Structures are given as C-alpha cells and as structure tokens.
Amino acid sequence: MILLFFISIGLSIGYIFLLQWITEGWEVFIPNKGGNPSIKVSIIIAARNEDANIANCLSSIYKNKYPQELLEIIVVDDQSQDRTAAIVKEQFPQVMLLHTIKNRGKKAAIQLAANRAQGELLMFTDADCIVPEKWLDTLVSNYNPELVNFIAAPVQIDLEDTNLSRFQYLDVAATMAVTANGILRKSYYSANGANMAVTRKIFLELYSSRLDDEIASGDDMFTVQYLAKQDPSKITFVRSLDATVTTKGEETLSDLLSQRKRWAGKSRHYPEKNIVLVQGYVFLLVAMMLFNLVFGFMTNVTAVFIAVLMLFIKITMDYLFLSHLCKHNRKEEATKKYLISAAFYNLYILFAGLVAMFPGKYDWKGRRLN
C-alpha cells in the first residue's frame, strides 16, 4: 500500500510539473518571421456533406483584405451527398472546384488540390470553419521560406451554452496549448488540419514519399512530423487570436466519440512518438486513479482516499491551466459548470487511450473507415 501511495502521488506531482511545462512553452514569444505579403497563397478546403457550412467558410475568407490576384481558393468536393458542390459553383464561381474520384477520404482530396494549386504557400482549413479577418495577413507575415516551411495555428470551438460544447472547447484549447508547447520547444510535433500552412514545393515532395496512404485521415499530424524529421527549425506556431479559426463542435455525444476515435486511432502510426508519450502519461495518471478506486472498494479503503486525492489534484490543476487559456482566448465562460466537463474529461481520456491501443473501424460522414 505504501508503494501504491508513492507511485500514485508521484504521478500526480509529475502531472503538476507537466502542466507547468506546457504553460510556459505555450507562452514562449516567437517574433514575426518577416514574411512577404506579396506571395501567392492557395487555400485548400476538403469538403464532404458541408452544404450547411461551406458558404459561411468561404465568405469569411473573402472578408480578409489579401490581394485577390494573389489568392487562390480550392474546394475539393469529397463525394458529397448534399448540395456542397452546387453551393460553391453557384455562389462562388471564382473558387476552383474539384471532385475526388475514389472514395479515399480527406488526405486524397488534399493531395488532389495540392497538385493543382499555384500558390507558393498552401493554407488549409475545414469547410465548417470561420477564419478571422486578419487570418491571411497574420499567417503570411510569419512565413519566410528561408526560415519557415510549416506553420501551425490555433483552432477553437464555437462555444455554445451547453455542457457538451464547453467540454469540447476546453479539450481543444488544451490541445492547442500542448501543440504550441511542443513546436516552440522543439520537443514534439503536432498540428490541426483546420489551420495550418506549408510550402507547396515541400508539401508535394513530402507526399510523393510518404507511407501512410492507407490511413484515411491524419494529413496534419503526418505532415508536420515528417517535416520535423527533416528540419524541425523550420516549423513554427503562431499564437494569436488573429490567426485562430473557429470550428463547430459536434452536436451529439455519439458524433463526438466517433470524431475522437478517428483522432486517437491514428496515433500509433505517428512517425514521431514524443507526443504519444505526453498523451500516454495523462492516460496512465487517470488509469491509476481508476485502479486505486476499484482496488480500494475490493480490498483496502485507503486506496479510495488515494484515488480521491489524485482526482482533486488533477481537477484543481486542470482548472487553473484551462482558466489561464480561456482568459487569453477571451472565453472565460467556457469554465462554467467546470466539474461536469472535468468528470467527462477523465472518462474521455480512458476512452481515447484504449482506442489508441486497440483501434478499429469508425463511421465518419457516411463512411466506414479504418
């Protein structure tokens, strides 16, 4: 029991230091890279069954003041079963509209667009995202081909007054902090495909030699991690509200779990494993809580008190960490009813960890994928 106590408390203390390390890394100041505002940019959007969102997404892009002659927008209709393609064609005739032929998923759609793109810099977002009015200027100003070939930038959930929305907002905010910390410290590498940019030439060279084509998603993580193996110094993260895109959260718990299953299931294929170590540590912490709880009820009640102590430490530290992030994002209301989000989050960590270890098929936008 003494050994169990020291292991459990050691994990909790380690978690405190982990959050402090992530917070300090997230706050690292990276100066503007002196980018050229006159380069041609190609924005790529892979869309499947997004007729409710695609017009708002494209309209938000056109609200940016970037010179139109230097802006190319490519929408790839990925076998949509609704009016996604028709809306683009009717309302945005200036947009290049492509169609996938094979039912291979988002990565194949992105590769199709990249092969047709003319811009020096490829920028990616999703069809259900809204970009801020200075998004293009902010990312381009941080692009300098001599210093940077990949830019990761923040994504946030469109916050609504529901427990599910608040949980998703906090989860994604924490993920963005973890992403920024890894990139800015050059410790591990991750990104979100809803908001990233990469040199077109580098991207095309990378795609020709990649070995993850059998995985339907993961264009973001695989791209940044393959590039990190080549030259991590040219990967940066732009921590700015002007660079932050907003995406819709999942409307039902079933859809959320399906999305997270898709995210977690590809982690075992990552070419760079340091990010998995960070995720694995948090999973181990929560698994130890559960073990103490079950062990305590079955044999020794002292273990229950250890589990409660671990949970108290984690919930408290998470609250301080997330409150700090929400204050920066000007979304303090996301921590409303925090205990509900905290309870679900710890269960979700167990779910994600098990899915990462034992991945299977999942349903996504009418498809059954690996």
Side-chain angles (χ1 to χ4, degrees):
M1 181 57 65
I2 294 177
L3 179 61
L4 181 64
F5 173 79
F6 280 110
I7 292 174
S8 300
I9 299 305
L11 285 171
S12 294
I13 293 173
Y15 185 69
I16 294 173
F17 283 106
L18 177 64
L19 287 187
Q20 181 64 26
W21 181 67
I22 291 171
T23 302
E24 291 176 355
W26 175 73
E27 292 178 338
V28 169
F29 174 73
I30 298 295
N32 186 288
K33 300 297 182 181
N36 183 356
S38 63
I39 65 166
K40 185 164 185 177
V41 172
S42 296
I43 300 174
I44 294 176
I45 304 169
R48 176 173 169 82
N49 298 338
E50 294 285 0
D51 61 359
N53 302 310
I54 189 65
N56 289 334
C57 174
L58 292 172
S59 295
S60 72
I61 294 173
Y62 280 115
K63 288 180 181 178
N64 281 249
K65 305 303 181 183
Y66 204 76
Q68 293 300 299
E69 67 274 13
L70 299 176
L71 178 62
E72 176 184 57
I73 302 177
I74 305 174
V75 173
V76 186
D77 178 49
D78 186 19
Q79 305 288 301
S80 293
Q81 299 167 321
D82 61 9
R83 297 192 71 253
T84 298
I87 290 172
V88 175
K89 187 175 182 180
E90 294 166 5
Q91 299 184 26
F92 302 91
Q94 69 274 43
V95 170
M96 183 188 299
L97 178 62
L98 304 178
H99 302 269
T100 56
I101 298 175
K102 296 181 180 179
N103 198 28
R104 294 179 57 197
K106 182 179 179 182
K107 281 199 303 185
I110 286 174
Q111 187 170 8
L112 173 64
N115 286 328
R116 294 286 299 274
Q118 298 298 312
E120 176 183 340
L121 182 67
L122 302 181
M123 295 177 63
F124 299 88
T125 191
D126 287 344
D128 61 351
C129 289
I130 301 297
V131 308
E133 293 185 5
K134 295 182 180 180
W135 180 60
L136 277 161
D137 284 337
T138 304
L139 264 62
V140 171
S141 68
N142 280 275
Y143 171 70
N144 183 331
E146 296 181 0
L147 301 174
V148 173
N149 61 23
F150 185 94
I151 300 171
V155 176
Q156 66 177 359
I157 297 295
D158 185 15
L159 183 60
E160 299 177 356
D161 190 19
T162 67
N163 291 325
L164 188 63
S165 180
R166 282 187 287 270
F167 164 75
Q168 292 178 81
Y169 184 90
L170 295 175
D171 179 44
V172 172
T175 301
M176 289 297 100
V178 171
T179 297
N181 173 67
I183 290 176
L184 299 179
R185 288 185 184 275
K186 308 302 178 188
S187 299
Y188 54 82
Y189 297 88
S190 59
N192 189 308
N195 196 9
M196 67 183 197
V198 59
T199 305
R200 180 173 63 90
K201 180 181 178 181
I202 298 294
F203 186 79
L204 292 176
E205 291 174 353
L206 185 66
Y207 251 95
S208 68
S209 60
R210 279 167 54 170
L211 302 176
D212 53 89
D213 285 343
E214 75 281 0
I215 306 168
S217 65
D219 48 289
D220 42 16
M221 296 293 288
F222 292 112
T223 297
V224 68
Q225 291 189 3
Y226 278 120
L227 288 176
K229 285 182 173 291
Q230 296 178 4
D231 189 352
S233 69
K234 290 191 173 183
I235 298 172
T236 192
F237 186 93
V238 178
R239 184 173 64 90
S240 168
L241 293 180
D242 287 330
T244 302
V245 306
T246 302
T247 185
K248 289 187 175 181
E250 298 301 322
E251 295 182 356
T252 68
L253 180 59
S254 176
D255 288 343
L256 174 64
L257 293 178
S258 181
Q259 180 194 58
R260 297 310 202 257
K261 185 176 181 180
R262 176 169 60 95
W263 290 359
K266 63 193 177 188
S267 61
R268 66 193 182 103
H269 298 285
Y270 292 163
E272 190 265 315
K273 302 299 183 184
N274 287 349
I275 180 64
V276 179
L277 294 177
V278 174
Q279 296 166 338
Y281 185 91
V282 180
F283 173 79
L284 181 62
L285 175 70
V286 178
M288 182 59 76
M289 288 185 209
L290 180 62
F291 173 81
N292 278 318
L293 194 62
V294 174
F295 179 73
F297 280 120
M298 292 179 62
T299 60
N300 192 326
V301 71
T302 303
V304 175
F305 290 104
I306 296 174
V308 171
L309 178 59
M310 292 178 71
L311 183 61
F312 175 78
I313 293 172
K314 184 176 185 300
I315 287 178
T316 301
M317 296 309 301
D318 283 347
Y319 179 76
L320 295 174
F321 172 64
L322 293 168
S323 295
H324 182 61
L325 300 181
C326 291
K327 183 177 181 180
H328 170 268
N329 295 341
R330 301 171 190 169
K331 295 288 184 180
E332 290 91 338
E333 65 271 24
T335 56
K336 177 182 176 182
K337 299 182 180 179
Y338 167 71
L339 289 179
I340 296 175
S341 295
F344 184 75
Y345 183 58
N346 286 290
L347 294 174
Y348 161 69
I349 289 172
L350 292 173
F351 168 81
L354 292 173
V355 168
M357 291 186 286
F358 308 104
K361 293 183 178 295
Y362 57 89
D363 294 312
W364 189 247
K365 294 190 176 182
R367 284 177 173 157
R368 188 72 169 165
L369 300 170
N370 289 312

